[in-house]
Amino acid sequence: MKIVITEFMDDAAVDVLRAAFDTCYLPTLVDQRADLLAQLEQVDALIVRNRTKVDAALLAAAPNLKVVGRLGVGLDNIDVAACAARGIEVIPATGANARAVAEYVIGTAMALLRPAYTRSAETAAGKWPRAALSNGRELSGKTLGLIGFGGIGQLTARLAQALGVHVIAYDPMFGPKAPVWAATGVACTRIDDLLRVADIVSLHVPLVDQTRNLINATALAKMKKTSILINTSRGGIVDESALAQALHASNLGGAAIDVFMQEPLAADTPLADAPNLILTPHIAGVTEESNTRVSAVIATLVGNYLRQKQSL
């Protein structure tokens, strides 16, 4: 059976697949669409990250495709309904990058609360902005509001609680009496209340019709002027123009954004010159350790699925 891997994967996991299957690993194939489609006529398994579009055209070029492995958890780049209609299994690496995302949330929150962490160039240049940088804030004692309380949200809550942070969360999938609230010590909260009281708001929801532009100008206006917004979920959940306006108007304390409507960002993005803003290129869930875990999980699950198909 043949496997094609279109984006970067840990070498050890690729070697595991090569030992058992005809494996084509070309991590730049994602940027060579015509070459990618040409590779798929006899492919049984496809392994992707978030940039490969598993759409109608790709599926049409892969008549033998049996399984898609996703090196991550979001599935918005994969036409899941079309895969299901064809009987193609879609396998995400659920939970394997959760710690990386949770640590990103904590780390960027601390950096934005205490701006000295991101302004070392001034001290290196011989300036001494001690007074200006002495008004940073501590994470301990703050309120973290999580919008979405799945596995990543729950791990983020545990890390924050260990640092003395009060955690509240909104998730319509869990009712107020769901066991998860007592088990985690997190308060179930309405979204409007969360936006109003949280010092840090972190997003952990998929991009669906109900969450598109969830954080728009109206939502941002409900937040404290000192609050911090962190988005590691999906672009399109935050209205980027509204966020830039809020930052320029000092109506928000800061933001860390890892995911965007357009990736890579357009040169004329409204976020380009916004103050108190950390921008990262969709890497919150990608570390050396998480890449090893994600790759190993997908190599195992995809390999096992193909072996089951072979045995039928």
Side-chain angles (χ1 to χ4, degrees):
M1 288 190 165
K2 182 177 180 180
I3 300 173
V4 169
I5 307 166
T6 66
E7 301 180 63
F8 71 91
M9 188 174 185
D10 185 63
D11 289 338
V14 176
D15 289 342
V16 167
L17 292 172
R18 280 186 176 137
F21 305 98
D22 176 9
T23 301
C24 173
Y25 175 45
L26 293 171
T28 60
L29 199 54
V30 61
D31 296 313
Q32 303 164 34
R33 179 73 173 183
D35 291 342
L36 167 58
L37 297 183
Q39 290 273 355
L40 299 180
E41 185 175 357
Q42 301 299 322
V43 75
D44 298 284
L46 182 67
I47 295 177
V48 304
R49 284 190 181 267
N50 66 293
R51 294 180 55 226
T52 304
K53 302 300 180 185
V54 183
D55 52 19
L58 185 147
L59 293 173
N64 297 324
L65 187 63
K66 299 173 180 62
V67 58
V68 178
R70 167 71 168 92
L71 294 162
V73 292
L75 300 177
D76 49 297
N77 60 311
I78 299 172
D79 190 334
V80 176
C83 288
R86 280 262 307 269
I88 298 168
E89 188 78 4
V90 177
I91 303 177
T94 304
N97 66 351
R99 180 162 290 275
V101 177
E103 289 190 4
Y104 176 100
V105 173
I106 300 301
T108 54
M110 294 177 76
L112 289 163
L113 284 168
R114 197 163 187 176
Y117 294 147
T118 57
R119 290 174 59 178
S120 62
E122 297 169 53
T123 301
K127 300 177 182 178
W128 200 249
R130 190 169 189 269
L133 298 182
S134 294
N135 60 352
R137 295 176 287 160
E138 297 176 1
L139 183 63
S140 179
K142 299 296 183 290
T143 295
L144 168 64
L146 300 168
I147 297 180
F149 200 55
I152 293 175
Q154 291 174 37
L155 178 54
T156 303
R158 291 199 297 274
L159 295 184
Q161 288 167 330
L163 293 168
V165 177
H166 175 58
V167 184
I168 60 177
Y170 164 78
D171 193 321
M173 301 301 292
F174 297 114
K177 296 182 180 179
V180 68
W181 305 117
T184 59
V186 171
C188 176
T189 311
R190 296 186 308 168
I191 189 169
D192 285 352
D193 292 335
L194 183 150
L195 292 171
R196 180 174 51 82
V197 304
D199 299 295
I200 304 149
V201 174
S202 186
L203 307 178
H204 300 279
V205 292
L207 178 63
V208 295
D209 289 343
Q210 294 86 348
T211 62
R212 191 176 301 277
N213 283 333
L214 178 68
I215 305 301
N216 53 20
T218 301
L220 290 165
K222 295 175 182 177
M223 296 172 63
K224 299 178 184 179
K225 290 189 175 184
T226 55
S227 291
I228 287 163
L229 175 69
I230 302 173
N231 186 16
T232 58
S233 51
R234 281 293 176 267
I237 296 171
V238 174
D239 181 329
E240 294 171 6
S241 294
L243 173 60
Q245 291 171 11
L247 291 169
H248 280 296
S250 298
N251 289 330
L252 199 66
I257 307 297
D258 185 58
V259 287
F260 307 92
M261 271 294 294
Q262 178 180 332
E263 297 181 0
L265 278 171
D268 61 350
T269 174
L271 298 173
D273 61 347
N276 303 322
L277 179 62
I278 295 173
L279 301 178
T280 52
H282 205 142
I283 49 77
V286 184
T287 60
E288 289 185 11
E289 295 86 351
S290 73
N291 183 45
T292 298
R293 290 193 300 269
V294 165
S295 299
V297 165
I298 291 302
T300 298
L301 295 178
V302 169
N304 288 344
Y305 188 85
L306 291 179
R307 291 184 187 94
Q308 291 173 3
K309 289 292 184 181
Q310 282 178 321
S311 66
L312 295 178

